[in-house]
Amino acid sequence: MIVIDNVGSSEAEPSLRGRWLCLLLLLVLIYGSHAPLISLTKVDGRVPFSPSSCVLLIEFIKLALSSVALSASGIPSGLKISARTVAPYAVPALLYAFNNNLVVSMQAHMDPSSFQVLGNLKIASTALLYATCLGKRLRLGQWLALGMLVAAGVCHSYSGLDREGSDASAARLRVTSWGLLLVLVYCLVSGLAAVYTERVLKAQRLPLSLQNLFLYVFGVGINLASHLFSGGQQGFFQGFSALVWLIIAGQAANGLLMSVIMKHGTGITRLFVISSSMLVNGVLSWGLLGIQLTPYFLFPVVLIGWAVYLYYR
């Protein structure tokens, strides 16, 4: 389901193309396994650990690994770093932190299933911002392909709705007008953060490890402040298990690998990774959690495959 982007002439070499494909497949696996793994950690329907502790650890690990990578490669001689160079990396950190908190607030205005369906609109918002802010012109067939990704996401989410009974389901599915506004803001901020990050990474001719260092310094600082402000009663490592550490390691790797996509590929590749991960999510939910797959699951598979063909043909 993943097709290699035209990220440079060197990508045409078989060894580099093979590495690029392995990178994309690994990202799809990490994205798709995230939600099922979190479900496996739940005790009596609730996660036993502090989400803010988890996010802070993920940011800290990404910062530490970026520091190690920079130390190994070294800073190019003659490179001058100023506040003007570093400041732009605070913006995506703030946007991502804002969205993480917005997700929590949105739960009071809609049910989780509705959020899952409406959240797929971020594919459309990212594509629109990618075309307008980065000046990328897409063919009609490519716009159609991106629309099919949105449709695949909605269809996949709809297939997971709880339909034990029409009356019960009707009572659960709800979206307030305020909730609809919040989800639109969430999708807009998500797309803006992705597009802005790509623009900064490509605009500055700096080593990626150094750029990641700047980004995750702000990420650690902002998430540390958020963790302290939340004042949770749980201990920092309370409820942590081997599975929780696996989730943290996976998300740290996800952030670092995705920065490679944003630096050397395109934001559209990121959208196809996210969409393809829905298939992995469905299969793992069936295999690990025993969730019944419905015939609706096959429709997103066809849509994503068709979208890949239309976009990259």
Side-chain angles (χ1 to χ4, degrees):
M1 288 298 177
I2 297 295
V3 175
I4 302 172
D5 251 336
N6 295 322
V7 296
S9 59
S10 62
E11 291 284 334
E13 298 178 15
S15 60
L16 292 180
R17 289 176 65 89
R19 283 185 227 166
W20 190 253
L21 181 59
C22 289
L23 170 65
L24 296 178
L25 292 175
L26 181 58
L27 276 170
V28 169
L29 180 60
I30 293 174
Y31 257 104
S33 62
H34 183 56
L37 290 178
I38 288 181
S39 296
L40 288 176
T41 67
K42 289 183 178 180
V43 177
D44 297 327
R46 304 181 66 180
V47 293
F49 56 88
S50 167
S52 63
S53 298
C54 222
V55 172
L56 180 57
L57 278 172
I58 291 169
E59 292 298 306
F60 180 78
I61 291 173
K62 289 190 290 187
L63 175 60
L65 292 176
S66 298
S67 301
V68 171
L70 183 61
S71 299
S73 61
I75 300 178
S77 58
L79 181 63
K80 295 182 180 180
I81 300 174
S82 64
R84 187 174 181 179
T85 304
V86 179
Y89 296 90
V91 177
L94 286 169
L95 292 175
Y96 286 124
F98 173 81
N99 253 15
N100 289 338
N101 288 281
L102 183 60
V103 168
V104 177
S105 303
M106 288 165 56
Q107 305 309 311
H109 301 280
M110 67 184 68
D111 62 279
S113 296
S114 295
F115 168 70
Q116 187 181 15
V117 173
L118 294 172
N120 288 289
L121 293 174
K122 67 184 178 182
I123 296 177
S125 66
T126 303
L128 288 171
L129 288 169
Y130 179 80
T132 55
C133 297
L134 298 184
K136 304 295 184 181
R137 300 187 64 179
L138 302 179
R139 293 180 286 103
L140 179 60
Q142 290 178 314
W143 281 114
L144 179 59
L146 294 172
M148 292 172 70
L149 289 185
V150 177
V154 172
C155 184
H156 174 75
S157 302
Y158 181 75
S159 70
L161 297 181
D162 185 1
R163 287 183 289 275
E164 295 176 353
S166 57
D167 294 337
S169 185
R172 279 189 294 269
L173 300 179
R174 66 180 185 88
V175 181
T176 66
S177 55
W178 183 242
L180 184 59
L181 176 62
L182 290 179
V183 80
L184 292 176
V185 171
Y186 165 80
C187 293
L188 179 62
V189 172
S190 177
L192 186 61
V195 170
Y196 183 87
T197 301
E198 180 179 346
R199 180 162 190 162
V200 171
L201 291 178
K202 289 181 175 177
Q204 295 186 350
R205 303 188 64 173
L206 298 174
L208 180 58
S209 55
L210 180 59
Q211 292 179 304
N212 280 337
L213 185 69
F214 295 153
L215 182 61
Y216 299 134
V217 162
F218 287 111
V220 168
I222 292 172
N223 283 284
L224 177 59
S226 177
H227 175 74
L228 295 175
F229 181 77
S230 63
Q233 298 181 355
Q234 283 182 290
F236 192 87
F237 293 106
Q238 183 179 339
F240 275 47
S241 62
L243 190 56
V244 175
W245 283 108
L246 177 62
I247 293 171
I248 291 173
Q251 290 308 296
N254 173 65
L256 292 170
L257 294 176
M258 190 55 73
S259 68
V260 177
I261 297 290
M262 306 296 276
K263 178 78 170 180
H264 302 291
T266 70
I268 300 299
T269 302
R270 174 178 173 271
L271 298 183
F272 278 96
V273 167
I274 294 173
S275 298
S276 299
S277 69
M278 294 186 299
L279 311 180
V280 175
N281 180 294
V283 172
L284 289 180
S285 296
W286 167 73
L288 298 177
L289 306 176
I291 294 177
Q292 184 82 27
L293 295 180
T294 69
Y296 289 105
F297 180 73
L298 297 176
F299 191 49
V301 175
V302 175
L303 281 178
I304 293 173
W306 194 2
V308 168
Y309 168 75
L310 284 177
Y311 190 88
Y312 291 102
R313 67 176 179 176

